[in-house]
């Protein structure tokens, strides 16, 4: 299949190292597959450890001059990168839909979301402040902030653009260089971003993209190389734990944005229509494949039946189809394996007594489509309560009291995002403060943007991305003591 773009320079299939496009040393390539059709849409260079090492060396050579530039010089290049991303929004969205499956509307939205991080951090980089400490009469302490160093970034397939810019923009804005390994399922969006960074005038070696299927080889180099000072990762909790262990030997800083198990709690006093709408948006965004998708709908008994009825009506109007086609409301899941894993969780819930109210199986045909699914008669012993589903499956649990809802919400090792619906102000404060999550949406599930600190607690990770806090993850604090000032 040939991919037609308005700007053909965005279709890149080689690794991007030191400002150059290059094949894998082995000459090998790997296939990028459209999950809506099962067709191969591109062959991409299958780079590994040696190419990663070269990328780190390029970053090492490029970083000193970049770090020495005034913030406004770095910001101007990032602003240009942002403008180019937005000018090429339609092409970037098309590439994303082809390799990831989400609908064109969702991809178009993600490109803008991704670009917003570039603009935000270009602006924020001019506002990095330090402190002067005046504790003793004859000396002063000065606190300055400096770039952490070369950053290794490993990004997921579910947001092939925005999860890259949310890391690369703050890193570059403060003066770091980056070596990025994007997910092997979605390399084209990452490579197109690199091409636009080059066109924006970003000097060679600052943003390197190593594409490849040998994650242990690429990740192994990024986590063990002493020149890499920080590793930032978005992905599953088991892989995050492994990377943290690997980073321990060289005591690297890490930022981990890991798995979630988000509850949406709907209290009897909620605005029912708003709660149904919020739960739908959150559950089925990207066909259920976001870390902050609601995983468990937890609904109070007085409103339960009405909620299930309205929620089911809306789900029955969804049209899961090829994201490039008009009328598709949702796309496929990423791979056949993902589809089978989702189905195994549904089958296991059904074997334990769950009722399938809608969907319940793969759609069949070409592509990796899973029917939008609703389960009732579910309980906390089931995999759909304990594990991240990462697919379009909504188990709806029932609770009696506020305390029970809080306990259910917290009954998980994860702590990324949680949501609840209530019109009672006292309850809103009580519950928001009692649930152990890094982000809480009250009467709202669309909580993401560049201005908010995105991140989790417990086994959902550490560090924050976006917002003014997102810069801190790429800065070291240095204390300088100046003595003898009364001489
Ligand atoms: C994610 O799934 O990790 C990102 C979702 C978002 O940024 O809203």
């Amino acid at each position: 299949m040939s991919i037609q773009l308005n700007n053909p320079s965005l279709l890149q299939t080689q690794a991007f190292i030191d400002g150059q496009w290059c094949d894998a040393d082995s000459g090998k390539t790997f296939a990028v597959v459209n999950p809506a059709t099962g067709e191969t849409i591109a062959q991409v260079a299958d780079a590994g450890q040696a190419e990663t090492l070269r990328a780190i060396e390029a970053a090492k050579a490029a970083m000193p001059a970049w770090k020495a530039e005034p913030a406004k010089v770095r910001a101007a290049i990032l602003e240009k990168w942002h403008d180019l991303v937005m000018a090429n929004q339609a092409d970037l969205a098309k590439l994303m839909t082809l390799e990831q499956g989400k609908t064109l509307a969702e991809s178009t939205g993600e490109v803008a979301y991704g670009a917003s991080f570039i603009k935000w951090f270009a602006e924020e980089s001019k506002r990095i402040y330090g402190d002067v400490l005046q504790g003793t009469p004859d000396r002063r302490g000065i606190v300055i902030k400096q770039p952490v160093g070369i950053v290794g970034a490993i990004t997921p397939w579910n947001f092939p653009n925005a999860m890259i810019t949310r890391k690369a923009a703050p890193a570059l804005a403060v003066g770091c260089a980056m070596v990025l390994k994007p997910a092997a399922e979605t390399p084209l969006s990452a490579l197109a971003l690199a091409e636009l960074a080059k066109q924006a005038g970003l000097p060679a070696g600052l943003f390197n993209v190593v594409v490849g299927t040998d994650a242990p080889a690429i990740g192994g180099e990024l986590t063990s190389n002493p020149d890499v000072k920080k590793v930032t990762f978005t992905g599953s909790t088991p892989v995050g734990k492994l990377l943290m262990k690997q980073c321990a030997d060289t005591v690297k800083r890490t930022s981990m944005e890991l798995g979630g198990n988000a509850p949406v709690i709907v209290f009897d006093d909620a605005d029912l229509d708003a709660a149904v709408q919020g739960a739908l948006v959150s559950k089925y965004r990207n066909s259920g494949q976001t870390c902050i998708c609601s995983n468990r709908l937890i609904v109070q008994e007085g409103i339960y039946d009405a909620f299930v009825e309205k929620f089911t009506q809306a789900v029955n109007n969804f049209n899961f189809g090829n994201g490039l086609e008009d009328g598709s409301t949702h796309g496929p899941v990423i791979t056949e394996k993902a589809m089978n894993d989702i189905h195994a969780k549904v089958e296991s819930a059904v074997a334990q007594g769950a009722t399938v109210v809608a969907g319940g199986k793969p759609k069949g045909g070409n592509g990796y489509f899973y029917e939008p699914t609703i389960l009732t008669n579910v309980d906390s012993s089931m995999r759909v309560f304990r594990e991240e589903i990462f697919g379009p499956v909504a188990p709806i649990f029932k609770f009696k009291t506020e305390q029970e809802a809080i306990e259910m919400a917290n009954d998980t090792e994860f702590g990324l995002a949680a949501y609840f619906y209530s019109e009672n102000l006292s309850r809103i404060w009580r519950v928001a403060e009692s649930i152990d999550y890094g982000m809480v949406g009250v009467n709202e599930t669309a909580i993401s943007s560049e201005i908010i600190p995105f991140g989790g607690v417990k086994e959902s990770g550490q560090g924050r991305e976006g917002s003014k806090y997102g810069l801190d993850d790429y800065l070291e604090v240095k204390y300088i003591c100046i003595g003898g000032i009364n001489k």
Side-chain angles (χ1 to χ4, degrees):
M1 172 198 177
S2 76
I3 300 175
Q4 306 298 326
L5 300 176
N6 298 320
N7 178 355
S9 76
L10 297 184
L11 183 57
Q12 298 291 343
T13 55
Q14 294 169 295
F16 186 67
I17 298 173
D18 203 11
Q20 305 293 324
W21 296 106
C22 40
D23 287 328
D25 293 358
S26 64
K28 284 192 194 150
T29 61
F30 65 96
V32 182
V33 172
N34 180 346
T37 61
E39 282 175 333
T40 295
I41 54 168
Q43 289 287 339
V44 168
D46 201 355
Q49 183 270 335
E51 296 87 337
T52 310
L53 183 56
R54 276 208 299 286
I56 294 168
E57 282 162 2
K60 194 174 171 185
M63 198 183 135
W66 181 244
K67 173 182 162 180
E69 292 285 10
K72 66 179 179 187
V73 171
R74 293 193 298 267
I77 292 176
L78 290 175
E79 291 276 5
K80 184 93 208 297
W81 192 22
H82 163 271
D83 294 349
L84 286 172
V85 169
M86 289 310 292
N88 290 279
Q89 186 176 19
D91 278 344
L92 293 171
K94 185 174 181 184
L95 275 179
M96 193 188 302
T97 294
L98 281 167
E99 65 179 349
Q100 201 278 338
K102 63 179 69 176
T103 62
L104 210 45
E106 278 190 283
S107 295
T108 305
E110 185 187 330
V111 174
Y113 180 41
S116 74
F117 291 108
I118 305 177
K119 189 161 187 62
W120 172 266
F121 284 112
E123 291 163 349
E124 281 298 290
S125 67
K126 292 177 255 177
R127 302 184 191 105
I128 298 170
Y129 303 108
D131 303 292
V132 178
L133 315 174
Q134 306 186 58
T136 54
D138 66 336
R139 63 172 72 171
R140 293 290 178 270
I142 300 169
V143 178
I144 63 166
K145 293 182 184 167
Q146 294 181 303
V148 65
I150 296 170
V151 177
I154 303 177
T155 54
W157 49 260
N158 61 341
F159 287 87
N161 175 308
M163 297 305 101
I164 294 172
T165 56
R166 194 154 77 179
K167 298 177 190 307
L172 293 168
V174 302
C176 297
M178 176 169 274
V179 178
L180 165 71
K181 186 223 172 289
E185 292 83 355
T186 55
L188 301 179
S189 296
L191 296 171
L193 278 172
E195 171 61 26
L196 291 174
K198 185 181 179 182
Q199 290 178 19
L202 189 72
L206 291 171
F207 183 57
N208 306 278
V209 183
V210 181
V211 277
T213 53
D214 193 347
I218 301 171
E221 187 61 41
L222 288 177
T223 51
S224 65
N225 190 309
D227 286 329
V228 176
K229 300 300 180 203
K230 163 160 189 140
V231 168
T232 173
F233 171 68
T234 296
S236 74
T237 294
V239 174
K241 287 181 184 177
L242 179 69
L243 293 171
M244 287 174 82
K245 283 183 195 145
Q246 291 177 190
C247 284
D249 274 348
T250 45
V251 195
K252 293 191 201 314
R253 284 194 43 197
T254 57
S255 292
M256 295 283 148
E257 202 267 87
L258 308 178
N261 184 0
V264 178
I265 308 169
V266 183
F267 289 98
D268 281 348
D269 60 30
D271 174 336
L272 179 60
D273 289 332
V276 168
Q277 187 54 29
L280 283 167
V281 168
S282 164
K283 175 66 255 182
Y284 294 101
R285 178 179 175 213
N286 198 11
S287 296
Q289 303 172 106
T290 87
C291 303
I292 59 167
C293 271
S294 54
N295 209 49
R296 299 169 290 160
L297 309 188
I298 301 178
V299 183
Q300 202 160 10
E301 58 185 358
I303 207 171
Y304 187 90
D305 290 342
F307 180 93
V308 171
E309 193 186 326
K310 283 189 178 236
F311 192 82
T312 308
Q313 271 170 13
V315 166
N316 286 336
N317 287 328
F318 286 164
N319 179 22
F320 277 55
N322 188 326
L324 287 181
E325 285 167 14
D326 283 347
S328 296
T329 57
H330 297 78
V333 295
I334 189 72
T335 57
E336 187 170 13
K337 178 181 178 313
M339 187 175 74
N340 293 338
D341 287 350
I342 294 161
H343 191 47
K345 287 179 191 133
V346 170
E347 280 188 316
S348 138
V350 170
Q352 285 183 261
T355 304
V356 177
V357 176
K361 58 183 188 320
K363 261 184 93 176
N366 293 335
Y368 316 127
F369 289 94
Y370 199 83
E371 293 177 347
T373 296
I374 301 170
L375 302 174
T376 55
N377 289 318
V378 279
D379 66 48
S380 63
S381 71
M382 295 177 179
R383 290 182 65 194
V384 289
F385 185 94
R386 307 247 140 242
E387 297 174 27
E388 191 172 31
I389 300 169
F390 236 64
V393 176
I396 312 184
F397 302 86
K398 196 184 277 186
F399 72 93
K400 285 191 170 64
T401 65
E402 181 181 302
Q403 190 52 32
E404 192 186 351
I406 291 168
E407 283 167 13
M408 286 170 84
N410 288 340
D411 184 12
T412 171
E413 69 271 29
F414 297 106
L416 190 57
Y419 316 92
F420 65 91
Y421 281 79
S422 169
E423 296 290 299
N424 176 330
L425 189 57
S426 317
R427 167 173 279 161
I428 286 173
W429 276 108
R430 270 196 313 273
V431 176
E433 290 181 1
S434 307
I435 51 180
D436 301 330
Y437 289 84
M439 299 175 283
V440 178
V442 182
N443 297 327
E444 182 58 78
T445 57
I447 57 170
S448 298
S449 84
E450 78 281 17
I451 70 168
I452 66 114
F454 191 104
V457 297
K458 294 163 74 178
E459 293 191 19
S460 287
Q462 48 175 237
R464 292 294 178 268
E465 296 190 320
S467 80
K468 65 175 180 174
Y469 305 102
L471 281 181
D472 295 339
D473 278 33
Y474 297 91
L475 290 168
E476 286 289 8
V477 170
K478 182 184 276 180
Y479 159 59
I480 301 167
C481 178
I482 302 184
I485 66 170
N486 292 327
K487 254 197 239 163

